[in-house]
Amino acid sequence: MAHTTHGIGGLTYDPAKKARPPELNVFVALVLIVVAFEAIGRLFLGESFLFNTRDNVDAIFNWPRLNIIILQVSIVGIIAVGVTQVILTGGIDLSSGSVVGATAMIAMSFAQTALVNGNPNPKAIFGDWAMDLPVIVPVLVGLGCGLAAGLVNGVFIAYTRIPPFIATLGMMVFARGLSRWWSNGNPISFPTEGYAAIGKGMMPVLIFVLLAVLFHLILTYTVYGKHTYAIGSNEDAARMSGIKVNRHKVLVYSIAGMLAAIAAVVLSSKNLTAQAGMGVMYELDAIAMAVIGGISLKGGRGSILGTVLGALIFGVIISGFTFVKLDAYYQEMVKGVIIVGAVVLDQWRQRRSSERT
Amino acid sequence: MSELRLHDMGDIVLETRDLTKHYGGVHALEGANFILRKGEHVAIMGDNGAGKSTFVRQITAVEQRTRGEVVFDGRAVHFAGPLEAREAGIETVFQNLALADDLDVPSNLFLGREKVLFNLGPFSILDRKAMREATMRGLEKTGVKIPNILNTIRNMSGGQRQCVAIARTAAFHSKLTIMDEPTAALGVQETAQVENIIRTLKKQGEPLILISHNMRQVFDLMDRIVVFRRGRICANLNVAETNPEDVVAYITGAKTGAEYADVA
Ligand SMILES: Nc1ncnc2c1ncn2[C@@H]1O[C@H](COP(=O)(O)OP(=O)(O)OP(=O)(O)O)[C@@H](O)[C@H]1O
Ligand SMILES: [Mg+2]
């Protein structure tokens, strides 16, 4: 039926001329930003941003740079997959960065190895019973932490009507405190080989891509996705249509919490250590990725594909600034500009679309 | 004036007894006793703010009533929410439409009761094709004009939205249909289409409650008129035995039905 040119009641339309998907705009922006860095590189630095210019390497692209771009956004990208769903319901999750910190600390405590180079693990948290456990234990413990944080967020938001901003801000502060208290601020290190394998090499990218694809499919093809969009679009309508809005919100925040937990496991595995300060500001990076990717902060509009493109734009900009040799302080400042800029863009998009109705 | 045969419960579809809703100090609905019989089409009329929508919201459990009883389909009901009311067989077109702007027409038609291919709890896979086809069939019956049902509701005219909301109730077999000012935003043709839907329901013997300010429509289509004034029912009139001037008098308060004398 989608391919008919006849609508209902004798009206016709051209199915080939579908409205331009918003993701296309984000993709065009990504290309333009890449082209801009490429141009700056060629004109001022005599270097290419993305293409291989070294004769001793047989490749078209500068693969090391491409890998860094995607690797550095993949862990926050995993969080952004969850934050996207929260924002689609019209909510916000400020706790994900701190949940990463707390989850990394707790999961790592169950991932330690007893002997480091023949000596007892100097960073051991628990006794022998918690040493050299199968990798599934710390992973499940981590997922449990994320689930608990998400459940608490969701229950407070759904049943006490505390604004998501406040509820998740509370969780943000609480979880950061928990991660400091857990080991009195000491780092937790020396994981088992199995745990270390989770985030090795390009594994974070693989996990990010798999989760993004999975949740893109879920949001597009399942009742869960339909209800997520419906709640963000018109919560009263969703409620009157019989959607169990509160229960659904709890589910969405729980999933977001678990995705933050996965990010924590991958990150602590990749770094081979967990620290109380892990994941600071990740929540804002994740929100920025979603908003850059076209997720409306009002809810109801956007897709995981958009968020993935937003993550790539984020990565390209950060790498681009390193490429043009602006140091870390500038990068922080630029991140701030990106976040505010993305929200301004979102406001502008909202105004424009409300003018049309 | 119609005689209410209160002893004859057999053909009563819906009855409310002393149905009351207070919003803080606002007595939006006060002691409403209302009866709807099998196959009957009843209009609810009254000025803005008279409590008509409030009455509907208590029946459909969009809000929880302050006091009173609702008997539907032979048993006292206290729905926990609108889904329970729908599942019990009450389909409602709400005055504020209750559509999700960012979703397309099939998604809105099936919101809250999607057709699924595999049941996996909340992650059940949607049967998008079946919903699309059912939407086409359902909408064609209403005679509404919509170029592309896969457009979001946001991109549709007020009348088209209204027709989607009405098609939603028509698409599902129900024991009782309630429409709150369904033609308020519609053009001449679309109004005629909605009125045709109402006639079809009448032919099929499906009972209906219609809230409307349109005197011609009510006299053309309905069997009975219940008038609300300041949160109370003040008249219960058979269409065949009354006239528009009379109804206006009840609405404005110039007259009050004999059995409701204590109201005024
Ligand atoms: N949620 C609410 N909180 C407080 N007061 C309310 C609420 N909803 C309705 N009211 C009040 O209750 C009264 C009845 O409102 P209701 O919506 O039932 O009117 P109505 O008869 O449907 O009018 P209209 O013809 O304009 O739709 C009004 O005075 C209204 O202001
Ligand atoms: Mg009303």
Side-chain angles (χ1 to χ4, degrees), chain A residues 8 13 221 224 233-234 241, chain B residues 86 99 102 107 122 126 146-147:
Chain A
I8 294 169
Y13 71 99
Y221 294 104
Y224 170 87
S233 184
N234 186 344
S241 303
Chain B
R86 274 172 103 180
L99 298 174
D102 298 302
S107 304
L126 296 164
I146 294 175

Side-chain angles (χ1 to χ4, degrees), chain A residues 1-15 18-19 215 218-227 229-234 236-244 248 251 255 298-301 353-354 356-357, chain B residues 57 62 82-83 86 94 96-104 107-108 110-116 121-128 131-133 135-136 139-140 142-151 154-155 160-161 168:
Chain A
M1 289 284 182
H3 306 294
T4 180
T5 52
H6 288 286
I8 294 169
L11 293 192
T12 56
Y13 71 99
D14 184 354
K18 272 206 193 133
F215 279 99
I218 286 179
L219 282 181
T220 316
Y221 294 104
T222 73
V223 172
Y224 170 87
K226 209 44 99 188
H227 290 183
Y229 282 95
I231 290 170
S233 184
N234 186 344
D236 289 332
R239 197 166 275 126
M240 283 194 211
S241 303
I243 294 174
K244 300 206 166 67
H248 192 84
L251 185 57
I255 287 176
K298 263 178 85 181
R301 261 182 290 174
S353 77
S354 66
R356 282 198 309 165
T357 53
Chain B
R57 284 197 296 268
V62 170
L83 181 64
R86 274 172 103 180
F94 291 101
N96 48 6
L97 289 183
L99 298 174
D101 270 355
D102 298 302
L103 300 184
D104 60 14
S107 304
N108 267 290
F110 287 93
L111 203 57
R113 50 186 160 187
E114 291 78 5
K115 282 181 193 275
V116 299
F123 299 104
S124 299
I125 313 286
L126 296 164
D127 189 348
R128 303 206 291 181
M131 290 195 279
R132 225 159 42 219
E133 287 170 2
T135 301
M136 292 297 269
L139 283 177
E140 256 150 17
T142 70
V144 59
K145 297 187 181 69
I146 294 175
N148 182 0
I149 58 167
L150 298 183
N151 256 337
R154 185 180 302 286
N155 298 331
Q160 288 168 336
R161 289 167 187 233
R168 179 159 68 173

